[in-house]
Amino acid sequence: MPVAAAGDDPEGVHQVRVAAGRLAVWLELGGREVLRDDLRALRRCAAEVRDADVLLARRPPAAFAARLAERRERAREAMLPHLRGPHARALRAALALLPAIDASAAERALPSFRDRVLRRGDALAARRPPHDEDFHALRRAVRKLRYALEWLRTDAAAVRGLQQVLGELNDLAVEQRVLRESGGARAFPRRAAMLRRRLLAFRRRALLAWRRARPAIASLCGGERP
Amino acid sequence: MKLAIFRHAEAEARSPSGRDAARAVGPRGRRRFERAVRGVRKLGLEFDLVLHSPWLRAVETADLLAPAVRGAFRVTPHLVRAPTAALLGEMRGRAVAVVGHEPWLSALAALLVTGSPRDASRFPLGRGGMLLLEGAPAPGTMVVAASFPPRALRRLGR
């Protein structure tokens, strides 16, 4: 959090979001309800800055990059009171006091993470055409399953590739949204058209990746429930 | 608004680190508070928001309250000090629960009911007990709807 607040290294914001996501999964594995909403709020407060960092790293045209940088600065100003505020300190204090979770209870909770991915993925595959929200829901479920597997030191290879494709698709969707919100679709028509084409191609790729990954995911933790 | 003020469940006498903030709810406190939560549910209370302190025994008590919660949990630093306007500002919803510590909870109840935290001794709270207030969360504007000592709440949950 201090690195994210200092603002010199984009990795700081990214790591705050990753750590908050991993800790929320750890709490869910332990059957705890508390602190997950606080972690979600922490992830959310850093989302806009992270989105801008990702888009800036893709080397957009200079004029669009300038708009992105302004947007990032505004988002950073909004994020800082959350990162430096008393609630963030209370959250850190509470997390530091929590005892370890029961490993066998966590093992028992793991299938619910797998089942959530299967539900989201099957809903996505059944939709004609799939909505962006369906991809988004699958991406979040896959991320949580990966974190849960990693907490339990279980091989997460089955989900890593799928998470990568869904992440790239999400980056494109975010860029399209940001372009639209900052009036860039008219100012940068070629980039907007390129994004539309790439989004269509990546949606197909993501759907294919899901179909390929599904059997391996279904076989995790002893196989799918009948 | 309905505001349920809970004192944390019975905690162990000391934590492994010796820090007061790290004292956990003990097995007996857990069992008893689980029964108390069944009592809370029998009263028809369902919370939109649970505010709790960052100290372990309050975090664990808030977690045990989960069956009576249909909204969010939020950790707040304002429950480990005398009540302030900042704490009252966090109380938003139709049914809010706060889980914290004495003497600050009694001071909070006194502030909300009489307008002065100095009347705290009129609002005692046993460990795992609940004080139910109604009204707007501002000094001197709430009324006591019910007071449940821990044993009464547990008996309700049988």
Side-chain angles (χ1 to χ4, degrees):
Chain A
M1 278 163 78
V3 179
D8 305 325
D9 183 356
E11 195 59 18
V13 171
H14 179 49
Q15 288 306 323
V16 163
R17 283 178 49 77
V18 170
R22 285 187 185 275
L23 285 166
V25 165
W26 178 74
L27 290 168
E28 193 177 342
L29 278 171
R32 290 190 189 274
E33 297 290 335
V34 280
L35 305 176
R36 285 159 56 184
D37 294 320
D38 302 281
L39 287 164
R40 196 173 299 127
L42 183 62
R43 262 184 78 80
R44 205 171 291 149
C45 87
E48 280 284 315
V49 177
R50 175 62 188 160
D51 286 347
D53 283 339
V54 169
L55 300 188
L56 283 165
R58 293 159 76 98
R59 299 182 182 284
F64 183 41
R67 288 190 193 188
L68 278 174
E70 276 173 32
R71 189 182 169 100
R72 183 189 188 282
E73 201 42 45
R74 281 197 303 274
R76 204 179 115 70
E77 278 169 26
M79 173 187 77
L80 282 178
H82 294 283
L83 285 188
R84 291 178 172 156
H87 282 88
R89 283 198 295 278
L91 173 59
R92 284 169 61 178
L95 286 167
L97 293 170
L98 280 180
I101 60 172
D102 177 352
S104 58
E107 293 278 359
R108 285 195 299 277
L110 192 55
S112 68
F113 287 82
R114 175 205 58 198
D115 293 347
R116 185 161 47 200
V117 169
L118 294 175
R119 274 198 312 277
R120 302 278 191 265
D122 290 345
L124 168 79
R127 182 103 70 177
R128 296 280 183 277
H131 294 179
D132 280 344
E133 294 80 40
D134 298 325
F135 285 109
H136 185 57
L138 176 61
R139 184 177 63 83
R140 288 171 52 189
V142 166
R143 185 188 71 224
K144 289 177 182 174
L145 173 60
R146 178 185 164 181
Y147 290 165
L149 290 166
E150 288 175 351
W151 274 118
L152 294 168
R153 296 198 174 89
T154 307
D155 185 14
V159 293
R160 217 170 282 136
L162 176 61
Q163 190 193 12
Q164 175 82 21
V165 177
L166 290 167
E168 287 172 32
L169 173 63
N170 183 62
D171 290 346
L172 289 169
V174 167
E175 184 169 352
Q176 189 180 53
R177 174 175 60 80
V178 171
L179 198 65
R180 201 180 297 134
E181 285 172 5
S182 53
R186 272 197 305 276
F188 309 102
R190 279 170 61 186
R191 192 163 185 89
M194 180 274 285
L195 269 174
R196 272 197 301 276
R197 281 195 306 276
R198 291 198 70 194
L199 264 167
L200 278 174
F202 259 84
R203 283 193 194 112
R204 282 194 294 272
R205 259 178 77 177
L207 205 50
L208 192 63
W210 161 247
R211 290 198 176 113
R212 284 189 180 142
R214 193 193 188 286
I217 292 172
S219 69
L220 286 169
C221 19
E224 202 172 351
R225 285 174 190 157
Chain B
M1 173 198 284
K2 283 189 169 132
L3 177 68
I5 301 177
F6 289 92
R7 186 174 174 195
H8 65 82
E10 278 175 65
E12 295 184 330
R14 57 184 65 83
S15 69
S17 67
R19 287 181 60 198
D20 181 51
R23 285 200 293 129
V25 170
R28 190 170 86 146
R30 175 174 294 271
R31 264 195 321 274
R32 286 181 156 198
F33 196 71
E34 279 169 351
R35 220 176 302 146
V37 172
R38 286 200 290 274
V40 171
R41 294 190 70 191
K42 277 190 184 167
L43 290 170
L45 285 170
E46 268 199 324
F47 302 110
D48 311 314
L49 174 67
V50 178
L51 298 169
H52 61 87
S53 103
W55 291 1
L56 183 57
R57 55 193 182 276
V59 173
E60 291 185 332
T61 304
D63 209 30
L64 291 169
L65 197 55
V69 181
R70 57 158 188 229
F73 291 85
R74 183 168 160 87
V75 64
T76 174
H78 304 306
L79 279 166
V80 287
R81 62 187 66 149
T84 59
L87 174 61
L88 306 192
E90 287 192 57
M91 296 173 182
R92 291 190 209 107
R94 289 198 308 191
V96 175
V98 298
V99 183
H101 314 269
E102 286 289 54
W104 304 305
L105 290 180
S106 289
L108 170 66
L111 175 69
L112 289 169
V113 176
T114 72
S116 169
R118 284 194 293 274
D119 295 328
S121 60
R122 290 167 57 189
F123 301 90
L125 262 169
R127 283 184 286 268
M130 177 182 83
L131 195 59
L132 187 62
L133 308 185
E134 282 183 358
T141 60
M142 297 195 97
V143 294
V144 178
S147 172
F148 289 90
R151 185 180 291 178
L153 211 49
R154 288 200 301 273
R155 204 166 279 167
L156 203 60
R158 272 187 194 153

